[in-house]
Amino acid sequence: MATRQEILDWCRDSLQVNMFKDYAPNGLQVEGRETVNRLATSVTASKAAIDFAVARGADMLLVHHGMFWKSEPLTITGWKKERIETLLQHQINMVGYHLPLDAHPEWGNNAQLAALLDWGLDYQCGDQNLLNIGRLNTPQTLQRLSDSMADKLQRQPVVVGDMNREIKRIAWCTGGAQGFFQTAIDEGADAYVTGEISEAQYHLANECGVAFISAGHHATERYGVKALAGAIGEVFGVEVCSFDEQNPA
C-alpha cells in the first residue's frame, strides 16, 4: 500500500515532468482516495477503462491520455461528466502522463516501442527531444519491417514507400507525430514510424524517397503506461492490472 501523494511525487521526479511544455496536465487529474492498493492502467481514460478500474477495485487509474486538453471546452457535460462522475463515486484517482511518458528513456512509449521492435537508439532531436533517430539492429526490407510491425503490434500499418527498399536508419515518435516527418528526412532516415498519417505525408514520402509508416496511435502507445505501472508496482508494492481496447485509430 502507498499513499496517492507518494506515487505522484515519485512519478513527477522520475518522469521529470517539469522539463516539458504540454497541452494536458501531467499528474493527478481527478482526486480519489488517499491510499492506493491497486493500480489500473489504460492508454486512455475512456469510460470503458474507468468501468474496468471500478470492476477491479482499483484505487488509481494511470493513463497516457487523460481527459483535460487545452483545445477542449471547459464545461463538464456529456461524456466527460459521465466519466468524472464514475471516478468520484468510486473514489478512484485518475492520473495521466502525456509527453513526459512518451520521452522517458526506459518506460516511455518511444523506448518501449524500440525495445519491442529491436531498434537501437542513436540520439533524440526535434521539439522537446521527442523524435528518436536510430537503426534497425537487423536491416531489412520495408516489406519485412511492415510485416514484423503488423505481427507485433496486432495492427496492419499504413505504409508509403518502396517495399523492396532496405531499411537501416530509422526515425520514430509514437502517437500523433506525423509533423516530425520533415525532420526525420533531414536527419537521413530511411523510414519514419509514427501513429498517424495525414494527407501531406503521402506526397512527401513519394517525393523524398523516405518511407512513412503509420502504425496506429493506440497501437504504438500501449506499452509506456504498462511499463510505468510496473515500476510503480515494484517500488510501492501495489497490485497492477491493465486494460486494453481494440482501438483501430
Side-chain angles (χ1 to χ4, degrees):
M1 182 176 67
T3 69
R4 173 184 63 232
Q5 197 59 49
E6 284 174 336
I7 294 175
L8 292 173
D9 289 346
W10 182 86
C11 287
R12 179 199 62 213
D13 295 341
S14 299
L15 296 175
Q16 297 184 295
V17 168
N18 295 334
M19 298 288 290
F20 292 86
K21 294 180 180 179
D22 213 333
Y23 24 92
N26 287 292
L28 184 65
Q29 294 191 8
V30 178
E31 185 176 304
R33 58 180 62 92
E34 291 187 5
T35 57
V36 178
N37 289 290
R38 182 172 295 165
L39 172 68
T41 76
S42 177
V43 174
T44 299
S46 64
K47 185 62 165 59
I50 293 169
D51 289 342
F52 171 84
V54 171
R56 296 298 297 266
D59 307 297
M60 180 178 285
L61 175 61
L62 178 69
V63 301
H64 179 51
H65 301 137
M67 284 189 290
F68 302 98
W69 304 89
K70 290 182 179 179
S71 60
E72 290 182 350
L74 297 177
T75 53
I76 308 300
T77 59
W79 61 267
K80 188 173 288 187
K81 179 256 186 184
E82 294 293 330
R83 294 184 192 182
I84 294 173
E85 184 175 53
T86 303
L87 289 166
L88 293 176
Q89 285 177 344
H90 296 274
Q91 297 188 63
I92 298 173
N93 297 284
M94 198 277 283
V95 178
Y97 295 100
H98 188 231
L99 296 184
L101 184 56
D102 285 322
H104 192 273
E106 181 180 356
W107 311 314
N109 286 315
N110 286 325
Q112 290 291 309
L113 184 66
L116 177 70
L117 296 170
D118 193 30
W119 301 342
L121 174 66
D122 292 330
Y123 60 92
Q124 295 169 306
C125 61
D127 183 42
Q128 303 188 77
N129 281 331
L130 290 168
L131 178 61
N132 293 254
I133 308 295
R135 76 216 97 77
L136 301 188
N137 289 323
T138 304
Q140 54 200 264
T141 64
L142 182 59
Q143 181 66 65
R144 185 176 174 187
L145 175 61
S146 173
D147 292 344
S148 175
M149 294 181 68
D151 178 59
K152 292 183 178 179
L153 296 178
Q154 301 174 354
R155 181 192 188 278
Q156 187 65 45
V158 175
V159 183
V160 183
D162 179 358
M163 302 304 286
N164 294 316
R165 180 182 178 180
E166 185 177 55
I167 305 300
K168 296 180 181 179
R169 188 169 175 81
I170 193 162
W172 71 96
C173 183
T174 64
Q178 55 267 59
F180 279 141
F181 189 28
Q182 182 62 60
T183 306
I185 293 169
D186 294 341
E187 294 296 323
D190 298 318
Y192 175 59
V193 176
T194 188
E196 299 182 10
I197 185 170
S198 298
E199 193 271 348
Q201 282 82 55
Y202 169 82
H203 304 288
L204 197 58
N206 283 328
E207 293 169 23
C208 295
V210 177
F212 187 98
I213 302 176
S214 168
H217 195 135
H218 180 88
T220 58
E221 296 194 326
R222 281 192 181 111
Y223 309 100
V225 71
K226 290 182 180 179
L228 176 60
I232 293 171
E234 290 181 5
V235 171
F236 295 100
V238 299
E239 182 182 341
V240 175
C241 54
S242 297
F243 174 77
D244 193 23
E245 300 178 78
Q246 291 302 314
N247 185 338

